[in-house]
Amino acid sequence: MDVLIYSSQPFERPFLDAAASARGHRCQHQTLALNASTAALANGFSAVSLFVNDDGSAAVLQQLAAGGTRLLALRSAGFNHVDLNAAKALQLAVARVPAYSPYAVAEHTVGLILTLNRKLHRAFARVREQNFSLNGLLGFDLHGKTVGIIGTGQIGSVLARIMSGFGCTVLATDPIQNRDCLALGVRYVTLPELLQQSDIVSLHCPLTAATQHLINSQTLAQMKPGAMLINTGRGALIDSKAVIVAIKSGQLGALGMDVYEEEAGLFFADHSGDILTDDVLARLMTFPNVFITGHQGFFTREALQNIAETTMTNVSAFAAGTPNGNWLS
Ligand code: NAI
């Protein structure tokens, strides 16, 4: 099949092309994101592939369906950007890549924790200026600290294992208790208990109506004063404006984020010559105890290869009329 790849990035093309050609498919790469103005580019493509910031809202899906699209092959685990009810009504199949490398995201989460704790971002800048002063770089031993993991699915459970290795006490909250986590000694508690007891809180639940702004002014107030918050899940899990207030008051001691609620149209592209018009992100970037990466948690060679192969396996399954466990609609 010919597959239109929306939001195609140079770094993923070799992986996608190889996985497609091994299965007799062909990729047509489109650097533009999918939205109401670009949906017409898919006319005639029965399979299109979406990335995390493509717009899969009902109106856009209607345009795709009208143009003959029958399959949305998501190159992501998260699917909050696709209106699944609309897809079902339009008889659009939606397949995702449920697992490609939980290690990639969990390891990046640890990178954010270590960077913020030991102020590596500040140390890097200082040393380049021949400033070898240690003042302001004081961290704490991770050993013996309490880490609270919200969502112990594939990524959260890998993080639980890594943080146990550091000698941390790991608390978790999740409607489904993970057997590997229980075996590790992870203690499941309520969200308020987790927030009250954790020195570091890390978000690994999906973004849904129930989890939108899970971290807000009320839940921030329940956290240990000066605790660290890490978000490599989805931007809208946290209310960014409430977080700014908590950082300014000192209630929140550090924030690491790989995702941002208004990242669409900004992340995954070079805007270094542009004026940043997002005042919330601009304010977040001014704090020395906030460290932001541009949605690169997934970004390892192994993950790109797995994403490409599963995406093209999903296309093959669709072509053969044999939906697999990756189907959402
Ligand atoms: P998963 O589906 O394996 O695990 C999610 C867990 O969250 C499940 O155990 C579920 O029961 C739990 N959960 C659902 N609602 C909850 C709630 N209200 N409170 C606590 N737990 C809740 O998903 P996986 O693969 O671990 O990914 C987690 C999230 O990470 C994805 O939904 C996606 O948004 C994000 N992600 C971010 C990436 C990045 O590059 N930064 C890459 C891949 C995923």
Side-chain angles (χ1 to χ4, degrees), residues 149 156-166 170 180-181 183-184 186:
I149 300 180
S157 59
V158 171
L159 180 67
R161 180 171 293 278
I162 298 173
M163 298 319 293
S164 299
F166 274 100
V170 181
D180 292 346
C181 287
L184 269 177
V186 172

Side-chain angles (χ1 to χ4, degrees), residues 51-52 76-80 96-102 104-105 108-109 149-157 172-178 188 191 203-208 210-211 214 231-235 237 258-259 263 268 294-299 307:
F51 198 47
V52 287
S76 59
F79 49 88
N80 52 285
R96 66 171 178 146
V97 183
Y100 41 88
S101 173
V105 186
H108 190 70
T109 302
I149 300 180
I150 301 180
T152 50
Q154 301 184 75
I155 296 168
S157 59
T173 183
D174 192 313
I176 302 162
Q177 301 196 352
N178 180 302
Y188 281 87
L191 179 62
L203 302 173
H204 302 285
C205 56
L207 175 62
T208 63
T211 60
L214 184 78
N231 186 12
T232 60
R234 282 290 178 270
L237 292 173
D258 185 48
V259 284
E263 70 179 52
F268 304 119
H295 207 143
Q296 69 175 87
F298 73 100
F299 199 49
I307 290 171

Side-chain angles (χ1 to χ4, degrees), residues 180-251:
D180 292 346
C181 287
L182 290 170
L184 269 177
V186 172
R187 199 154 50 84
Y188 281 87
V189 295
T190 63
L191 179 62
E193 285 172 318
L194 180 144
L195 296 172
Q196 281 152 19
Q197 294 175 36
S198 300
D199 300 291
I200 299 167
V201 172
S202 194
L203 302 173
H204 302 285
C205 56
L207 175 62
T208 63
T211 60
Q212 171 132 22
H213 287 184
L214 184 78
I215 300 298
N216 53 46
S217 49
Q218 280 84 39
T219 45
L220 283 161
Q222 292 170 348
M223 288 176 71
K224 257 192 186 181
M228 181 189 293
L229 174 65
I230 305 286
N231 186 12
T232 60
R234 282 290 178 270
L237 292 173
I238 68 177
D239 176 346
S240 308
K241 288 185 183 150
V243 155
I244 288 174
V245 174
I247 293 167
K248 284 165 79 175
S249 73
Q251 169 62 11

Side-chain angles (χ1 to χ4, degrees), residues 239-303:
D239 176 346
S240 308
K241 288 185 183 150
V243 155
I244 288 174
V245 174
I247 293 167
K248 284 165 79 175
S249 73
Q251 169 62 11
L252 193 60
L255 170 68
M257 44 189 263
D258 185 48
V259 284
Y260 171 57
E261 53 185 329
E262 300 298 335
E263 70 179 52
L266 194 56
F267 281 17
F268 304 119
D270 181 358
H271 293 286
S272 53
D274 301 343
I275 300 296
L276 179 58
T277 55
D278 184 323
D279 291 347
V280 174
L281 183 61
R283 184 67 179 105
L284 283 169
M285 293 194 316
T286 64
F287 297 112
N289 54 349
V290 172
F291 188 72
I292 303 172
T293 52
H295 207 143
Q296 69 175 87
F298 73 100
F299 199 49
T300 66
R301 221 172 285 126
E302 291 79 0

Side-chain angles (χ1 to χ4, degrees), residues 5-7 12 32-36 48-62 64 71-87 90 92-98 100 205-209 211-212 233-236 259-261 263-265 268 295 307 311 326 328-329:
I5 312 283
Y6 275 107
S7 299
E12 60 182 340
L32 293 173
L34 171 64
N35 54 43
V48 305
S49 179
L50 277 58
F51 198 47
V52 287
N53 290 328
D54 285 314
D55 177 357
S57 61
V60 173
L61 297 189
Q62 243 155 22
L64 290 180
L71 170 68
L72 305 180
L74 311 186
R75 306 197 299 289
S76 59
F79 49 88
N80 52 285
H81 54 307
V82 178
D83 185 331
L84 292 182
N85 290 330
L90 293 162
L92 275 172
V94 183
R96 66 171 178 146
V97 183
Y100 41 88
C205 56
L207 175 62
T208 63
T211 60
Q212 171 132 22
R234 282 290 178 270
V259 284
Y260 171 57
E261 53 185 329
E263 70 179 52
F268 304 119
H295 207 143
I307 290 171
T311 301
N326 303 335
L328 295 165
S329 139

